[in-house]
Amino acid sequence: MIKQKLAIRIAIWLFSIAVLFGVYQWYRGLGHDIDLPVQVDTNGYIAAIERKEEGSVAVIFKPDGTKIEAPGYKPGVEDKEIVWRPDGNRLFFSSDRIDGSFNIYRWNTDRGVAERRSLGSRSQSNATFGPKGYSGDLSKPLIIAGGFVLELDPKEGAANQILPPIQREIAQAGEEQTTADQFSTLYSRIGTSFKDARWGKNREYIVAVMRREGGEVLVIQPTGTVKAEDGTEKQAPPVLIEAGDKVEIDVAASGLVVAAITGYQFPNPHDIPEEFIKNNRVVPPFRHAMVIVDPSMLQKGGTSQAVYLSKDDQLCLQQPRFSPDGSKVLAVGGSIVDGANFVPKALVSMPAVANGFENQSALVLGEVRDPSWHPQGREIVYVKKDAESPRAIYRVGADGSNEKRVSQGTASYVGPSFSPQSR
């Protein structure tokens, strides 16, 4: 009997040790980043950035209209560029809450905690997750840090450089390195820094916008290799697609890329066809454009296809957004005033095909900005100027019906989006 009790005690003791060891290994695996609960119900939530008299703050609106500010905000702090993680369980945004430098923050709305998850003193912003439909790990966003494209591990706070491609990884986001280390001669000829970057289908390429003197350029970088003349494998070179004074992009789950170009420029300013040079002056064939690109066809001679072209400043499309199924593109339509200022006039939808603008529909009239689709494609959320606010949050059916105001009062907002969990 005594031996049996002793055996039971030993078994319980061994089981307890195993459990403690398992918890320890789990804790180590989290990188000491205890972020619970894992699952959070955000069905019907809308996230946005609210502009304050001093600074700006990340906010969410619950389905009942309740507004909640991200904890830790102080007057003068600037939160910006809020984005949902693909599972809808967390929000990420850039903020200068600590030491006046912008870092990436993760907001656990269930616990009411907004924590800095990136390191370094260089400005870090514009987190993007993806690609849509990818079966791998979607917890690590691409970010822009010091003008380079990095992939951030929010668990560890570390990041490795993605663009321009290099042979070694960066230990931490914001770690200083020389320009010679990072900018290849090829990329230095394209532009000076990155503005935006998105993963392409299955992470087979990266779609990016680079700044350059006097404008911006759309670049697609394959992540694979190509065979060199000597038979060795080397990193595939970037492909210049389009350029303009301003370039804005989106990537569909199918892999298609849409780019809205304001103030068209030739992608390679050193290789302009003679017919577009008159009296020693470059005369582009059109003024503004929206194009779609299939990156999988670039190696086979494929090029961009125009969804719409405009030869004057009376019509310009900005802020393109693919519908969840990739069949349509939303855009803000407006005009260019005084040669540079965009004045929005309507929210329009069109088929995501060549010449799709010929079948466009105006969904909402007025000064509309920052449209974003409901994950089921049934609705659209955006900001619009009205009698009370210069940027109130609204939602409307995908066909332009049943417009409703979401925000209350005179507050002004930027970048609203539905939770990916929304049904």
Side-chain angles (χ1 to χ4, degrees):
M1 189 69 177
I2 294 176
K3 290 183 179 180
Q4 185 179 7
K5 289 182 178 180
L6 180 61
I8 292 173
R9 288 176 181 174
I10 292 174
I12 294 174
W13 179 76
L14 290 174
F15 177 76
S16 299
I17 293 296
V19 170
L20 289 173
F21 181 75
V23 171
Y24 171 71
Q25 292 296 329
W26 173 77
Y27 179 72
R28 285 189 61 191
L30 285 176
H32 308 293
D33 174 28
I34 305 300
D35 180 34
L36 298 175
V38 174
Q39 297 293 326
V40 175
D41 182 9
T42 61
N43 173 36
Y45 285 28
I46 294 174
I49 297 294
E50 180 181 348
R51 291 178 169 177
K52 299 279 194 178
E53 290 186 6
E54 296 183 62
S56 54
V57 61
V59 300
I60 54 171
F61 288 88
K62 291 187 173 183
D64 63 2
T66 302
K67 182 179 72 175
I68 300 175
E69 293 186 358
Y73 168 79
K74 297 178 181 178
V77 163
E78 185 179 352
D79 295 347
K80 61 181 184 178
E81 298 162 349
I82 193 165
V83 61
W84 290 96
R85 200 169 67 187
D87 60 10
N89 289 311
R90 300 291 183 272
L91 282 158
F92 285 73
F93 58 90
S94 178
S95 183
D96 60 352
R97 295 179 174 210
I98 299 177
D99 301 328
S101 59
F102 282 95
N103 279 270
I104 304 299
Y105 284 73
R106 183 187 63 205
W107 182 8
N108 182 330
T109 59
D110 193 78
R111 284 202 302 143
V113 175
E115 302 174 304
R116 188 173 80 168
R117 299 312 307 164
S118 65
L119 304 174
S121 58
R122 293 193 299 180
S123 175
Q124 297 155 39
S125 59
N126 203 12
T128 59
F129 289 90
K132 299 173 184 175
Y134 184 61
S135 60
D137 184 6
L138 289 173
S139 66
K140 300 177 182 179
L142 291 179
I143 63 171
I144 306 297
F148 304 100
V149 180
L150 285 70
E151 184 178 47
L152 173 68
D153 182 351
K155 185 192 301 182
E156 302 290 346
N160 64 287
Q161 184 171 315
I162 303 296
L163 289 180
I166 57 175
Q167 297 301 315
R168 60 194 177 87
E169 295 183 346
I170 295 178
Q172 296 177 348
E175 179 178 334
E176 298 295 335
Q177 290 187 343
T178 65
T179 300
D181 286 338
Q182 299 193 21
F183 264 112
S184 66
T185 302
L186 184 57
Y187 265 94
S188 66
R189 291 173 180 171
I190 296 173
T192 56
S193 64
F194 288 90
K195 183 186 85 169
D196 192 8
R198 318 283 180 91
W199 283 113
K201 186 178 181 180
N202 297 325
R203 302 202 177 189
E204 295 172 356
Y205 50 87
I206 301 171
V207 184
V209 176
M210 290 192 74
R211 299 182 180 93
R212 69 180 186 184
E213 185 177 355
E216 299 173 351
V217 58
L218 170 61
V219 180
I220 294 182
Q221 172 66 64
T223 55
T225 59
V226 294
K227 186 168 288 188
E229 293 181 0
D230 60 5
T232 61
E233 295 288 329
K234 66 177 184 179
Q235 174 70 53
V239 181
L240 276 67
I241 306 298
E242 301 288 359
D245 299 341
K246 183 176 184 178
V247 178
E248 298 170 296
I249 60 172
D250 196 19
V251 182
S254 66
L256 281 181
V257 177
V258 62
I261 303 162
T262 302
Y264 177 81
Q265 300 177 8
F266 288 96
N268 186 347
H270 305 293
D271 186 21
I272 300 174
E274 291 185 6
E275 62 263 35
F276 299 113
I277 301 177
K278 299 179 181 180
N279 299 322
N280 295 320
R281 182 168 167 265
V282 177
V283 182
F286 46 86
R287 176 74 174 134
H288 312 294
M290 179 180 288
V291 301
I292 53 174
V293 184
D294 184 350
S296 67
M297 299 301 293
L298 292 177
Q299 302 299 325
K300 303 175 183 178
T303 59
S304 60
Q305 295 181 302
V307 178
Y308 102 105
L309 298 174
S310 175
K311 292 190 175 183
D312 57 44
D313 286 346
Q314 295 303 306
L315 177 60
C316 179
L317 299 182
Q318 293 191 356
Q319 299 184 332
R321 303 287 188 269
F322 273 116
S323 60
D325 64 3
S327 65
K328 299 178 182 178
V329 177
L330 280 179
V332 176
S335 58
I336 302 297
V337 178
D338 298 328
N341 299 319
F342 177 73
V343 178
K345 296 181 178 180
L347 176 64
V348 297
S349 173
M350 67 207 76
V353 297
N355 301 315
F357 189 74
E358 294 178 358
N359 295 305
Q360 61 85 21
S361 299
L363 304 180
V364 179
L365 299 179
E367 294 188 27
V368 180
R369 293 178 174 87
D370 303 343
S372 180
W373 287 93
H374 186 281
Q376 305 302 320
R378 294 193 303 267
E379 287 186 289
I380 302 157
V381 65
Y382 50 93
V383 297
K384 187 179 76 168
K385 182 179 180 179
D386 62 18
E388 292 185 70
S389 168
R391 289 174 178 259
I393 298 178
Y394 281 82
R395 61 196 297 173
V396 72
D399 60 356
S401 64
N402 198 28
E403 184 182 43
K404 296 178 181 178
R405 201 178 201 262
V406 175
S407 61
Q408 303 298 319
T410 61
S412 181
Y413 299 89
V414 177
S417 61
F418 289 103
S419 164
Q421 294 182 11
S422 300
R423 299 186 289 273

